[in-house]
Amino acid sequence: VVYGLKPSVGFYKIAVSITSELNSSGKNISCIYSDHLSNLWISLANEGLKKIIFSDSKNRETFSVQTIDKNNGLQSLYIQSLFEDYESNMWFGTFGSGLIEMPIEPFNFFIPGINNSIKSVAIDNLDGFWLGTANGILHYDISKPGETKLFDSKNGFVTDQVNTVFRDKKGTVWIGTENNGVYTLDPKTETFENFSREKDLKFLSVNCITESTDDQILIATKDGVYFYTPETSKTVLVTTVEGLLHNDVLKIFCDSKKRIWFCSHGTPP
């Protein structure tokens, strides 16, 4: 079920729910993405994608649902991550089938090679793609078809699953790994810095990295959320002790009103 919430006095109320319209046999939603037209893209495990098109962009109470699967060109039904680039092309990171681009008209299918299970995608300020894989981070330049470069323990990075890749406002690429914490990357020099070691971060299993409207870097781990302030180089850990409902935070969203939303599997018993 997908719920749309509206702010009310002191709380949020359900404005719209999308259930039967998804026509889904399962209940596993891998990710949700809102594009520049406010359409919702919903990834359903082993079912491909659903695109929710709202006829009323303000209230979002009426909508239509478009199915995107193998019947209309989607070559993998296991979509793990969604991303929209500067030209409004949609990019899908798959489990085991590489990177798929959906431009305004047809699909383009990319198989970077080396490792085709892509957990996260980010574009640097040089128009290069950085793909989080199960064994490192892969650089892919679409202007040079077939040319890829995997970074792992052999060339300055680590051999580990990359769960999240994020580019901040200054152009630094942040990389969150399953077991080795956070690394930062300078795309121009292709050099990595071990941010977790530099800041002495205790928890090293990273789910998500994003940036707040106040330029803080937020790092979601399985054991809480780190708030890093670049101006002061200060890092603060927030857990259930400080009010989180669950320490294992999967995703973070910072809205235009400077509110921060945390997503987890649920609350502890």
Side-chain angles (χ1 to χ4, degrees):
V1 182
V2 177
Y3 293 104
L5 305 180
K6 272 188 173 181
S8 187
V9 180
F11 64 96
Y12 283 80
K13 63 180 181 179
I14 298 175
V16 59
S17 64
I18 306 172
T19 309
S20 60
E21 295 87 350
L22 292 178
N23 192 27
S24 171
S25 59
K27 299 180 180 179
N28 191 348
I29 295 177
S30 301
C31 53
I32 299 177
Y33 189 91
S34 178
D35 65 22
H36 75 288
L37 296 176
S38 297
N39 301 313
L40 281 185
W41 297 74
I42 301 171
S43 169
L44 298 166
N46 198 31
E47 296 184 43
L49 296 164
K50 301 289 184 178
K51 182 180 179 182
I52 313 299
I53 304 169
F54 295 96
S55 55
D56 181 357
S57 60
K58 183 178 181 181
N59 295 318
R60 300 192 181 191
E61 294 177 352
T62 57
F63 57 86
S64 61
V65 180
Q66 177 185 352
T67 298
I68 302 171
D69 55 21
K70 290 185 177 181
N71 292 324
N72 47 17
L74 187 64
Q75 297 189 31
S76 173
L77 299 181
Y78 293 90
I79 307 299
Q80 298 187 114
S81 57
L82 302 167
F83 180 78
E84 183 181 23
D85 66 20
Y86 305 118
E87 297 178 347
S88 301
N89 301 310
M90 294 298 299
W91 295 82
F92 311 136
T94 72
F95 178 77
S97 298
L99 179 66
I100 300 175
E101 179 195 15
M102 183 180 178
I104 296 178
E105 292 301 332
F107 285 92
N108 286 328
F109 188 61
F110 295 87
I111 302 179
I114 305 176
N115 189 303
N116 288 326
S117 182
I118 298 170
K119 296 277 291 183
S120 186
V121 183
I123 300 179
D124 62 30
N125 49 11
L126 303 174
D127 294 329
F129 281 75
W130 294 91
L131 315 177
T133 79
N135 297 297
I137 188 163
L138 190 72
H139 182 250
Y140 183 67
D141 188 342
I142 59 174
S143 67
K144 301 175 182 178
E147 293 186 22
T148 61
K149 185 176 182 180
L150 178 68
F151 291 88
D152 54 21
S153 57
K154 298 176 183 178
N155 53 1
F157 189 51
V158 290
T159 301
D160 194 2
Q161 177 173 292
V162 173
N163 292 328
T164 181
V165 186
F166 175 77
R167 191 195 80 176
D168 67 20
K169 297 170 187 175
K170 295 181 179 179
T172 300
V173 176
W174 294 76
I175 305 164
T177 68
E178 180 67 21
N179 300 298
N180 289 274
V182 178
Y183 283 75
T184 57
L185 163 68
D186 183 340
K188 293 182 180 179
T189 61
E190 296 185 346
T191 55
F192 298 85
E193 297 291 338
N194 190 329
F195 179 84
S196 291
R197 183 171 58 196
E198 178 185 336
K199 300 300 178 183
D200 196 25
L201 302 188
K202 179 180 178 181
F203 302 117
L204 302 178
S205 187
V206 181
N207 295 322
C208 174
I209 302 175
T210 190
E211 186 173 18
S212 73
T213 54
D214 295 326
D215 300 330
Q216 281 187 311
I217 301 298
L218 280 58
I219 302 167
T221 77
K222 288 181 170 58
D223 299 282
V225 178
Y226 288 105
F227 286 70
Y228 170 63
T229 305
E231 287 186 1
T232 62
S233 294
K234 185 178 179 181
T235 304
V236 176
L237 176 65
V238 175
T239 67
T240 53
V241 175
E242 288 75 30
L244 282 182
L245 294 180
H246 201 296
N247 283 337
D248 189 1
V249 175
L250 304 177
K251 299 289 183 182
I252 301 175
F253 177 73
C254 303
D255 67 21
S256 59
K257 296 182 180 180
K258 297 187 177 183
R259 295 173 299 194
I260 302 174
W261 301 80
F262 302 98
C263 170
S264 67
H265 283 300
T267 57

